[in-house]
Amino acid sequence: MSMIKKKEFGIGIFLMVTFIAVMVAIFSPLINGQNALDYLDNLYNSISKGSANYIPKVKHQVEEHGSEEVTLNLKMDSAEAAAKAEPLFARAGATTAVEGADLMVNGDLKAIFETALEDAESAYNNRNEDLEARYGLGARSTLHSWWVSMKAMEKDLNRQKLFPAAQLTHTVQAKTVECAYNYYGIEAQAIKDRWGTVLFSLIFYVIYTIWYGYGIMYIFEGLGFELAAH
């Protein structure tokens, strides 16, 4: 190791100090009480929500599948979960009975799916009051009950070798119920309306990464470290 190169070392220290100062600013609540990471996370979630609405497509799949009378024995995690799920199927016109953690359902699969899709659409559009009026439960509680019910439905339909119905159940669960749960409370935005912020964040990320790399490089160069060629 040779003697310290003051110029290079000084540049490296300056870059690292400013890098840390900017990092402190990033983690400070400077944007409407949010830090920059939370702000951008919410922004990208709101942009992605606009392109994650699979409900119309799944509605079409349900229509194509058509009506199918099914008798289900849903093995729920608890008696409470079974009791919370029963009104969902009753609203779909199914005959239901609860025995402990088992929920027995007899009804039209299409009607069950359509009810689940209606609830998912209400939650996706942040209309919590719709679900409160239907079940006396909030959006997340309702969607969670649908999610666990459909998990049990898929398992029972596979047991009965009703594989197309089981696959459609999985689609409704993952593409609509789960999606609506994850995006509930987020307002959708189009990327064309926020392209400036998005472009700035991407460019800044690249520059900020390079900034750190050059800071480290100049510090080590200033300390006399060099890559030896063999």
Side-chain angles (χ1 to χ4, degrees):
M1 185 174 73
S2 59
M3 63 184 297
I4 292 177
K5 299 176 183 178
K6 293 183 179 180
K7 179 181 177 181
E8 286 78 3
F9 186 73
I11 292 172
I13 292 297
F14 173 78
L15 288 173
M16 290 306 297
V17 168
T18 52
F19 176 88
I20 293 170
V22 171
M23 181 180 289
V24 171
I26 288 173
F27 283 96
S28 299
L30 302 177
I31 308 173
N32 299 324
Q34 296 180 306
N35 65 45
L37 292 181
D38 288 337
Y39 173 80
L40 289 175
D41 184 55
N42 291 333
L43 172 63
Y44 281 107
N45 281 338
S46 68
I47 289 172
S48 67
K49 180 175 182 176
S51 60
N53 186 5
Y54 301 106
I55 294 172
K57 180 179 178 181
V58 176
K59 280 182 178 179
H60 181 68
Q61 291 177 263
V62 169
E63 284 293 331
E64 284 188 334
H65 184 85
S67 295
E68 181 179 3
E69 193 76 14
V70 292
T71 298
L72 304 169
N73 184 0
L74 306 183
K75 304 291 185 181
M76 309 295 278
D77 293 335
S78 65
E80 181 185 4
K84 285 179 68 175
E86 184 182 22
L88 307 180
F89 294 92
R91 185 169 173 272
T95 302
T96 61
V98 176
E99 293 182 7
D102 291 347
L103 172 59
M104 275 66 74
V105 176
N106 180 262
D108 181 15
L109 197 61
K110 181 183 177 184
I112 293 170
F113 287 149
E114 287 176 339
T115 303
L117 288 169
E118 185 181 11
D119 291 346
E121 190 167 35
S122 291
Y124 187 86
N125 292 313
N126 300 324
R127 296 196 303 266
N128 185 68
E129 65 277 6
D130 292 357
L131 297 162
E132 288 275 6
R134 290 169 195 160
Y135 309 109
L137 296 173
R140 288 195 181 276
S141 293
T142 301
L143 293 178
H144 180 262
S145 288
W146 271 122
W147 194 93
V148 297
S149 298
M150 290 195 163
K151 183 180 178 182
M153 276 180 63
E154 182 184 1
K155 184 175 181 179
D156 194 56
L157 288 167
N158 278 322
R159 180 186 62 79
Q160 298 182 52
K161 296 183 170 53
L162 299 174
F163 301 122
Q167 181 58 48
L168 186 54
T169 301
H170 179 79
T171 298
V172 173
Q173 177 199 41
K175 293 288 188 180
T176 66
V177 173
E178 186 173 320
C179 186
Y181 183 95
N182 291 336
Y183 281 109
Y184 175 70
I186 296 172
E187 295 295 335
Q189 297 185 66
I191 191 169
K192 64 182 177 64
D193 298 328
R194 302 302 303 274
W195 69 268
T197 304
V198 172
L199 183 62
F200 172 80
S201 67
L202 294 174
I203 293 173
F204 176 80
Y205 174 77
V206 173
I207 292 174
Y208 197 55
T209 304
I210 295 172
W211 190 339
Y212 175 79
Y214 269 92
I216 293 293
M217 183 189 73
Y218 273 109
I219 286 175
F220 277 91
E221 186 176 340
L223 290 173
F225 290 95
E226 296 179 0
L227 289 175
H230 295 284

